[in-house]
Amino acid sequence: LDELKASIAEHGILQPIRVHDEGEKGFRLIAGECRFRCAKELKLPEVPASIVSGLTEDEILAEQLCENGQRKDIHPMEEAEGFDALRKRGKTIEEISLAVGKSRSHVLLRLKLCDLLPPARKAFYEDKMSLRVAYALARVPSAELQRKAWKELSDRHRHWGGDAAIEQFLRTQFTCNLEGAPFDRRDATLVPAAGA
């Protein structure tokens, strides 16, 4: 923000912010939050804006996610929560993927982060946990097991020896290893009632 503020102080805002005209409620910021914050700090009397109207909540959210996705500094959890908001509004993975310009696998991976319990999510937001460890912890299959895994990690966090060791620990201690299963894991008819 300091670099952006210095640039705006010298050159002004070169790309207008984008706002939605909400009638009597005023304007709702869609894109350009950093530029807008810098302008406020610099006490600029006006800010160039591109004004749109008639957008649905889904369209506004998708636009905000696209804007955020183009930022280099967006936190993966923030992106995941945005995708989750669209999913809760009834969007399919494919629709989210198209709306935000990301691959289906990227959207699915990010959505997995929403399975993190609140204390783990908070630690991840505060950069006390890497993305790799966050994914491994989010894959722990139940809230109860994830709570136990989180406690183990929290109690001994200084003695792990890196992300690979933590990932291995979570995989071996808190997920089901099917490598020695007495059935063919690739059998599409393993559970006939479930379908292929």
Side-chain angles (χ1 to χ4, degrees):
L1 276 182
D2 289 338
E3 288 176 19
L4 181 59
K5 195 159 65 170
S7 172
I8 289 172
E10 186 175 342
H11 306 290
I13 295 178
L14 302 177
Q15 181 182 359
I17 63 171
R18 189 165 165 85
V19 295
H20 186 254
D21 185 347
E22 310 230 323
E24 292 179 11
K25 292 181 185 175
F27 297 96
R28 179 172 167 188
L29 185 64
I30 297 175
E33 181 186 353
C34 292
R35 283 169 277 156
F36 185 68
R37 284 174 45 201
C38 288
K40 281 174 67 176
E41 285 183 29
L42 291 166
K43 296 182 176 32
L44 297 182
E46 55 187 45
V47 175
S50 169
I51 302 170
V52 294
S53 60
L55 298 178
T56 66
E57 281 296 315
D58 287 353
E59 290 169 330
I60 290 171
L61 186 54
E63 222 177 286
Q64 288 173 327
L65 286 169
C66 273
E67 167 80 5
N68 279 345
Q70 292 170 6
R71 284 179 22 212
K72 292 178 185 139
D73 63 340
I74 186 168
H75 195 282
M77 194 72 238
E78 188 180 345
E79 190 177 31
E81 288 168 347
F83 294 165
D84 194 41
L86 282 175
R87 182 174 57 176
K88 286 176 179 169
R89 297 182 69 82
K91 297 292 183 192
T92 66
I93 300 303
E94 287 73 20
E95 289 171 329
I96 296 169
S97 174
L98 283 172
V100 300
K102 300 283 184 179
S103 71
R104 185 178 187 281
S105 59
H106 177 86
V107 172
L108 283 169
L109 268 174
R110 287 297 194 257
L111 282 170
K112 190 66 190 160
L113 292 172
C114 292
D115 291 340
L116 286 171
L117 293 174
R121 191 178 287 206
K122 182 176 184 287
F124 182 44
Y125 256 128
E126 293 171 353
D127 294 324
K128 294 177 181 171
M129 179 191 324
S130 72
L131 179 60
R132 183 175 175 179
V133 170
Y135 277 134
L137 187 59
R139 281 190 213 99
V140 172
S142 73
E144 182 185 339
L145 279 176
Q146 196 181 122
R147 246 186 301 285
K148 287 180 182 176
W150 176 246
K151 183 170 177 6
E152 284 277 331
L153 293 179
S154 300
D155 290 348
R156 305 179 350 184
H157 74 281
R158 290 188 180 90
H159 310 288
W160 287 103
D163 290 352
I166 295 172
E167 193 176 26
Q168 177 69 16
F169 168 76
L170 291 171
R171 189 172 35 256
T172 58
Q173 298 299 312
F174 294 97
T175 60
C176 187
N177 182 357
L178 295 178
E179 286 181 20
F183 51 83
D184 182 2
R185 293 174 290 148
R186 294 176 303 257
D187 184 354
T189 59
L190 185 63
V191 182

mmCIF file of all heavy atoms in Angstrom, residues 37-70:
data_model
loop_
_atom_site.group_PDB
_atom_site.id
_atom_site.type_symbol
_atom_site.label_atom_id
_atom_site.label_comp_id
_atom_site.label_asym_id
_atom_site.label_seq_id
_atom_site.Cartn_x
_atom_site.Cartn_y
_atom_site.Cartn_z
ATOM 1 N N ARG A 37 -8.585 3.083 -0.721
ATOM 2 C CA ARG A 37 -8.021 3.307 0.618
ATOM 3 C C ARG A 37 -6.872 4.309 0.571
ATOM 4 O O ARG A 37 -6.753 5.185 1.430
ATOM 5 C CB ARG A 37 -7.555 1.980 1.223
ATOM 6 C CG ARG A 37 -8.719 1.138 1.716
ATOM 7 C CD ARG A 37 -8.346 -0.246 2.184
ATOM 8 N NE ARG A 37 -7.178 -0.294 3.041
ATOM 9 C CZ ARG A 37 -6.456 -1.388 3.230
ATOM 10 N NH1 ARG A 37 -6.778 -2.511 2.632
ATOM 11 N NH2 ARG A 37 -5.418 -1.373 4.021
ATOM 12 N N CYS A 38 -6.013 4.170 -0.445
ATOM 13 C CA CYS A 38 -4.890 5.105 -0.587
ATOM 14 C C CYS A 38 -5.403 6.527 -0.829
ATOM 15 O O CYS A 38 -4.873 7.490 -0.259
ATOM 16 C CB CYS A 38 -3.978 4.677 -1.734
ATOM 17 S SG CYS A 38 -3.001 3.206 -1.365
ATOM 18 N N ALA A 39 -6.418 6.646 -1.666
ATOM 19 C CA ALA A 39 -6.992 7.969 -1.965
ATOM 20 C C ALA A 39 -7.547 8.608 -0.699
ATOM 21 O O ALA A 39 -7.381 9.812 -0.477
ATOM 22 C CB ALA A 39 -8.080 7.835 -3.021
ATOM 23 N N LYS A 40 -8.190 7.794 0.141
ATOM 24 C CA LYS A 40 -8.721 8.324 1.411
ATOM 25 C C LYS A 40 -7.594 8.786 2.316
ATOM 26 O O LYS A 40 -7.663 9.855 2.920
ATOM 27 C CB LYS A 40 -9.565 7.253 2.116
ATOM 28 C CG LYS A 40 -10.964 7.119 1.528
ATOM 29 C CD LYS A 40 -11.745 5.963 2.114
ATOM 30 C CE LYS A 40 -12.070 6.158 3.563
ATOM 31 N NZ LYS A 40 -12.920 5.074 4.101
ATOM 32 N N GLU A 41 -6.518 7.968 2.405
ATOM 33 C CA GLU A 41 -5.384 8.341 3.253
ATOM 34 C C GLU A 41 -4.708 9.615 2.751
ATOM 35 O O GLU A 41 -4.218 10.412 3.547
ATOM 36 C CB GLU A 41 -4.369 7.191 3.324
ATOM 37 C CG GLU A 41 -4.828 6.051 4.209
ATOM 38 C CD GLU A 41 -3.779 4.951 4.323
ATOM 39 O OE1 GLU A 41 -2.575 5.243 4.221
ATOM 40 O OE2 GLU A 41 -4.192 3.787 4.523
ATOM 41 N N LEU A 42 -4.689 9.783 1.427
ATOM 42 C CA LEU A 42 -4.089 10.980 0.828
ATOM 43 C C LEU A 42 -5.053 12.167 0.832
ATOM 44 O O LEU A 42 -4.698 13.257 0.394
ATOM 45 C CB LEU A 42 -3.634 10.688 -0.609
ATOM 46 C CG LEU A 42 -2.445 9.735 -0.743
ATOM 47 C CD1 LEU A 42 -2.301 9.256 -2.189
ATOM 48 C CD2 LEU A 42 -1.160 10.409 -0.267
ATOM 49 N N LYS A 43 -6.275 11.917 1.317
ATOM 50 C CA LYS A 43 -7.323 12.947 1.381
ATOM 51 C C LYS A 43 -7.604 13.570 0.014
ATOM 52 O O LYS A 43 -7.784 14.787 -0.105
ATOM 53 C CB LYS A 43 -6.969 14.011 2.414
ATOM 54 C CG LYS A 43 -6.898 13.476 3.840
ATOM 55 C CD LYS A 43 -6.590 14.575 4.827
ATOM 56 C CE LYS A 43 -6.591 14.184 6.275
ATOM 57 N NZ LYS A 43 -6.214 12.925 6.727
ATOM 58 N N LEU A 44 -7.628 12.718 -1.022
ATOM 59 C CA LEU A 44 -7.958 13.199 -2.369
ATOM 60 C C LEU A 44 -9.435 13.591 -2.394
ATOM 61 O O LEU A 44 -10.279 12.863 -1.871
ATOM 62 C CB LEU A 44 -7.682 12.124 -3.421
ATOM 63 C CG LEU A 44 -6.228 11.666 -3.588
ATOM 64 C CD1 LEU A 44 -6.130 10.628 -4.699
ATOM 65 C CD2 LEU A 44 -5.324 12.843 -3.905
ATOM 66 N N PRO A 45 -9.776 14.727 -2.998
ATOM 67 C CA PRO A 45 -11.168 15.175 -2.996
ATOM 68 C C PRO A 45 -12.086 14.336 -3.889
ATOM 69 O O PRO A 45 -13.299 14.291 -3.672
ATOM 70 C CB PRO A 45 -11.084 16.617 -3.517
ATOM 71 C CG PRO A 45 -9.807 16.674 -4.286
ATOM 72 C CD PRO A 45 -8.891 15.689 -3.646
ATOM 73 N N GLU A 46 -11.515 13.662 -4.881
ATOM 74 C CA GLU A 46 -12.336 12.811 -5.743
ATOM 75 C C GLU A 46 -11.503 11.663 -6.292
ATOM 76 O O GLU A 46 -10.264 11.721 -6.313
ATOM 77 C CB GLU A 46 -12.949 13.612 -6.886
ATOM 78 C CG GLU A 46 -11.950 14.377 -7.723
ATOM 79 C CD GLU A 46 -12.637 15.296 -8.729
ATOM 80 O OE1 GLU A 46 -13.580 15.993 -8.356
ATOM 81 O OE2 GLU A 46 -12.191 15.281 -9.891
ATOM 82 N N VAL A 47 -12.217 10.624 -6.721
ATOM 83 C CA VAL A 47 -11.575 9.415 -7.234
ATOM 84 C C VAL A 47 -12.254 9.048 -8.552
ATOM 85 O O VAL A 47 -13.480 9.011 -8.613
ATOM 86 C CB VAL A 47 -11.744 8.250 -6.230
ATOM 87 C CG1 VAL A 47 -11.199 6.959 -6.790
ATOM 88 C CG2 VAL A 47 -11.069 8.565 -4.914
ATOM 89 N N PRO A 48 -11.487 8.810 -9.619
ATOM 90 C CA PRO A 48 -12.136 8.388 -10.867
ATOM 91 C C PRO A 48 -12.797 7.025 -10.676
ATOM 92 O O PRO A 48 -12.216 6.134 -10.053
ATOM 93 C CB PRO A 48 -10.984 8.321 -11.870
ATOM 94 C CG PRO A 48 -9.753 8.179 -11.053
ATOM 95 C CD PRO A 48 -10.023 8.842 -9.740
ATOM 96 N N ALA A 49 -14.024 6.902 -11.179
ATOM 97 C CA ALA A 49 -14.761 5.650 -10.985
ATOM 98 C C ALA A 49 -15.545 5.275 -12.227
ATOM 99 O O ALA A 49 -16.085 6.145 -12.921
ATOM 100 C CB ALA A 49 -15.704 5.787 -9.795
ATOM 101 N N SER A 50 -15.602 4.005 -12.476
ATOM 102 C CA SER A 50 -16.456 3.444 -13.513
ATOM 103 C C SER A 50 -17.710 2.962 -12.782
ATOM 104 O O SER A 50 -17.626 2.129 -11.883
ATOM 105 C CB SER A 50 -15.730 2.278 -14.182
ATOM 106 O OG SER A 50 -16.615 1.567 -15.005
ATOM 107 N N ILE A 51 -18.864 3.510 -13.151
ATOM 108 C CA ILE A 51 -20.106 3.211 -12.436
ATOM 109 C C ILE A 51 -20.959 2.262 -13.274
ATOM 110 O O ILE A 51 -21.207 2.507 -14.455
ATOM 111 C CB ILE A 51 -20.889 4.509 -12.145
ATOM 112 C CG1 ILE A 51 -20.022 5.468 -11.319
ATOM 113 C CG2 ILE A 51 -22.195 4.199 -11.421
ATOM 114 C CD1 ILE A 51 -20.592 6.863 -11.175
ATOM 115 N N VAL A 52 -21.390 1.167 -12.643
ATOM 116 C CA VAL A 52 -22.287 0.217 -13.300
ATOM 117 C C VAL A 52 -23.533 0.069 -12.435
ATOM 118 O O VAL A 52 -23.527 0.398 -11.248
ATOM 119 C CB VAL A 52 -21.624 -1.171 -13.507
ATOM 120 C CG1 VAL A 52 -20.476 -1.084 -14.489
ATOM 121 C CG2 VAL A 52 -21.151 -1.765 -12.196
ATOM 122 N N SER A 53 -24.604 -0.424 -13.029
ATOM 123 C CA SER A 53 -25.822 -0.659 -12.256
ATOM 124 C C SER A 53 -26.519 -1.899 -12.793
ATOM 125 O O SER A 53 -26.199 -2.394 -13.874
ATOM 126 C CB SER A 53 -26.750 0.550 -12.326
ATOM 127 O OG SER A 53 -27.107 0.809 -13.668
ATOM 128 N N GLY A 54 -27.452 -2.401 -12.018
ATOM 129 C CA GLY A 54 -28.253 -3.537 -12.454
ATOM 130 C C GLY A 54 -27.598 -4.892 -12.311
ATOM 131 O O GLY A 54 -28.120 -5.882 -12.811
ATOM 132 N N LEU A 55 -26.460 -4.966 -11.632
ATOM 133 C CA LEU A 55 -25.801 -6.256 -11.442
ATOM 134 C C LEU A 55 -26.472 -7.029 -10.308
ATOM 135 O O LEU A 55 -26.940 -6.441 -9.333
ATOM 136 C CB LEU A 55 -24.313 -6.084 -11.122
ATOM 137 C CG LEU A 55 -23.438 -5.426 -12.183
ATOM 138 C CD1 LEU A 55 -22.007 -5.295 -11.671
ATOM 139 C CD2 LEU A 55 -23.465 -6.213 -13.475
ATOM 140 N N THR A 56 -26.490 -8.350 -10.416
ATOM 141 C CA THR A 56 -27.010 -9.192 -9.339
ATOM 142 C C THR A 56 -25.905 -9.384 -8.300
ATOM 143 O O THR A 56 -24.732 -9.116 -8.570
ATOM 144 C CB THR A 56 -27.446 -10.574 -9.873
ATOM 145 O OG1 THR A 56 -26.272 -11.264 -10.336
ATOM 146 C CG2 THR A 56 -28.466 -10.449 -10.989
ATOM 147 N N GLU A 57 -26.294 -9.888 -7.126
ATOM 148 C CA GLU A 57 -25.307 -10.190 -6.080
ATOM 149 C C GLU A 57 -24.258 -11.174 -6.595
ATOM 150 O O GLU A 57 -23.076 -11.018 -6.323
ATOM 151 C CB GLU A 57 -25.998 -10.782 -4.841
ATOM 152 C CG GLU A 57 -26.667 -9.761 -3.960
ATOM 153 C CD GLU A 57 -25.689 -8.772 -3.343
ATOM 154 O OE1 GLU A 57 -24.623 -9.185 -2.832
ATOM 155 O OE2 GLU A 57 -25.984 -7.575 -3.391
ATOM 156 N N ASP A 58 -24.708 -12.188 -7.343
ATOM 157 C CA ASP A 58 -23.780 -13.185 -7.887
ATOM 158 C C ASP A 58 -22.778 -12.539 -8.838
ATOM 159 O O ASP A 58 -21.590 -12.860 -8.823
ATOM 160 C CB ASP A 58 -24.540 -14.291 -8.633
ATOM 161 C CG ASP A 58 -25.276 -15.225 -7.683
ATOM 162 O OD1 ASP A 58 -25.095 -15.094 -6.459
ATOM 163 O OD2 ASP A 58 -26.018 -16.092 -8.176
ATOM 164 N N GLU A 59 -23.246 -11.638 -9.675
ATOM 165 C CA GLU A 59 -22.360 -10.975 -10.639
ATOM 166 C C GLU A 59 -21.343 -10.088 -9.927
ATOM 167 O O GLU A 59 -20.167 -10.056 -10.299
ATOM 168 C CB GLU A 59 -23.184 -10.158 -11.637
ATOM 169 C CG GLU A 59 -23.983 -11.013 -12.603
ATOM 170 C CD GLU A 59 -25.004 -10.221 -13.413
ATOM 171 O OE1 GLU A 59 -25.524 -9.205 -12.912
ATOM 172 O OE2 GLU A 59 -25.276 -10.648 -14.554
ATOM 173 N N ILE A 60 -21.796 -9.387 -8.895
ATOM 174 C CA ILE A 60 -20.882 -8.531 -8.124
ATOM 175 C C ILE A 60 -19.817 -9.380 -7.440
ATOM 176 O O ILE A 60 -18.620 -9.080 -7.499
ATOM 177 C CB ILE A 60 -21.659 -7.675 -7.097
ATOM 178 C CG1 ILE A 60 -22.480 -6.609 -7.818
ATOM 179 C CG2 ILE A 60 -20.708 -7.034 -6.087
ATOM 180 C CD1 ILE A 60 -23.446 -5.848 -6.917
ATOM 181 N N LEU A 61 -20.250 -10.469 -6.800
ATOM 182 C CA LEU A 61 -19.313 -11.352 -6.109
ATOM 183 C C LEU A 61 -18.308 -11.962 -7.076
ATOM 184 O O LEU A 61 -17.105 -11.997 -6.799
ATOM 185 C CB LEU A 61 -20.084 -12.448 -5.363
ATOM 186 C CG LEU A 61 -19.294 -13.376 -4.461
ATOM 187 C CD1 LEU A 61 -18.461 -12.615 -3.438
ATOM 188 C CD2 LEU A 61 -20.226 -14.342 -3.744
ATOM 189 N N ALA A 62 -18.785 -12.409 -8.236
ATOM 190 C CA ALA A 62 -17.887 -12.992 -9.241
ATOM 191 C C ALA A 62 -16.874 -11.963 -9.720
ATOM 192 O O ALA A 62 -15.689 -12.269 -9.880
ATOM 193 C CB ALA A 62 -18.692 -13.535 -10.420
ATOM 194 N N GLU A 63 -17.323 -10.726 -9.919
ATOM 195 C CA GLU A 63 -16.409 -9.668 -10.357
ATOM 196 C C GLU A 63 -15.359 -9.375 -9.291
ATOM 197 O O GLU A 63 -14.179 -9.181 -9.592
ATOM 198 C CB GLU A 63 -17.204 -8.391 -10.671
ATOM 199 C CG GLU A 63 -16.722 -7.712 -11.913
ATOM 200 C CD GLU A 63 -17.528 -6.484 -12.286
ATOM 201 O OE1 GLU A 63 -18.646 -6.632 -12.770
ATOM 202 O OE2 GLU A 63 -16.979 -5.377 -12.085
ATOM 203 N N GLN A 64 -15.784 -9.352 -8.032
ATOM 204 C CA GLN A 64 -14.841 -9.110 -6.938
ATOM 205 C C GLN A 64 -13.813 -10.236 -6.855
ATOM 206 O O GLN A 64 -12.629 -9.990 -6.630
ATOM 207 C CB GLN A 64 -15.594 -8.972 -5.611
ATOM 208 C CG GLN A 64 -16.363 -7.671 -5.512
ATOM 209 C CD GLN A 64 -17.248 -7.602 -4.275
ATOM 210 O OE1 GLN A 64 -17.775 -8.606 -3.812
ATOM 211 N NE2 GLN A 64 -17.433 -6.403 -3.765
ATOM 212 N N LEU A 65 -14.269 -11.467 -7.048
ATOM 213 C CA LEU A 65 -13.337 -12.597 -7.013
ATOM 214 C C LEU A 65 -12.349 -12.539 -8.170
ATOM 215 O O LEU A 65 -11.173 -12.859 -8.009
ATOM 216 C CB LEU A 65 -14.104 -13.918 -7.038
ATOM 217 C CG LEU A 65 -14.799 -14.282 -5.725
ATOM 218 C CD1 LEU A 65 -15.744 -15.450 -5.926
ATOM 219 C CD2 LEU A 65 -13.782 -14.610 -4.655
ATOM 220 N N CYS A 66 -12.828 -12.123 -9.348
ATOM 221 C CA CYS A 66 -11.923 -11.977 -10.503
ATOM 222 C C CYS A 66 -10.863 -10.929 -10.199
ATOM 223 O O CYS A 66 -9.682 -11.146 -10.446
ATOM 224 C CB CYS A 66 -12.708 -11.543 -11.738
ATOM 225 S SG CYS A 66 -13.377 -12.924 -12.638
ATOM 226 N N GLU A 67 -11.299 -9.807 -9.668
ATOM 227 C CA GLU A 67 -10.376 -8.721 -9.329
ATOM 228 C C GLU A 67 -9.355 -9.208 -8.308
ATOM 229 O O GLU A 67 -8.162 -8.991 -8.453
ATOM 230 C CB GLU A 67 -11.166 -7.534 -8.770
ATOM 231 C CG GLU A 67 -10.348 -6.457 -8.097
ATOM 232 C CD GLU A 67 -9.690 -5.482 -9.047
ATOM 233 O OE1 GLU A 67 -9.928 -5.562 -10.263
ATOM 234 O OE2 GLU A 67 -8.929 -4.628 -8.571
ATOM 235 N N ASN A 68 -9.838 -9.890 -7.262
ATOM 236 C CA ASN A 68 -8.941 -10.407 -6.232
ATOM 237 C C ASN A 68 -7.986 -11.445 -6.792
ATOM 238 O O ASN A 68 -6.822 -11.500 -6.416
ATOM 239 C CB ASN A 68 -9.736 -11.020 -5.076
ATOM 240 C CG ASN A 68 -10.251 -9.982 -4.116
ATOM 241 O OD1 ASN A 68 -9.796 -8.834 -4.133
ATOM 242 N ND2 ASN A 68 -11.210 -10.348 -3.314
ATOM 243 N N GLY A 69 -8.487 -12.292 -7.695
ATOM 244 C CA GLY A 69 -7.660 -13.339 -8.281
ATOM 245 C C GLY A 69 -6.510 -12.789 -9.092
ATOM 246 O O GLY A 69 -5.493 -13.450 -9.272
ATOM 247 N N GLN A 70 -6.647 -11.559 -9.580
ATOM 248 C CA GLN A 70 -5.583 -10.944 -10.363
ATOM 249 C C GLN A 70 -4.536 -10.271 -9.482
ATOM 250 O O GLN A 70 -3.461 -9.927 -9.944
ATOM 251 C CB GLN A 70 -6.188 -9.935 -11.343
ATOM 252 C CG GLN A 70 -6.997 -10.621 -12.422
ATOM 253 C CD GLN A 70 -7.795 -9.651 -13.266
ATOM 254 O OE1 GLN A 70 -7.669 -8.440 -13.126
ATOM 255 N NE2 GLN A 70 -8.620 -10.180 -14.144
#
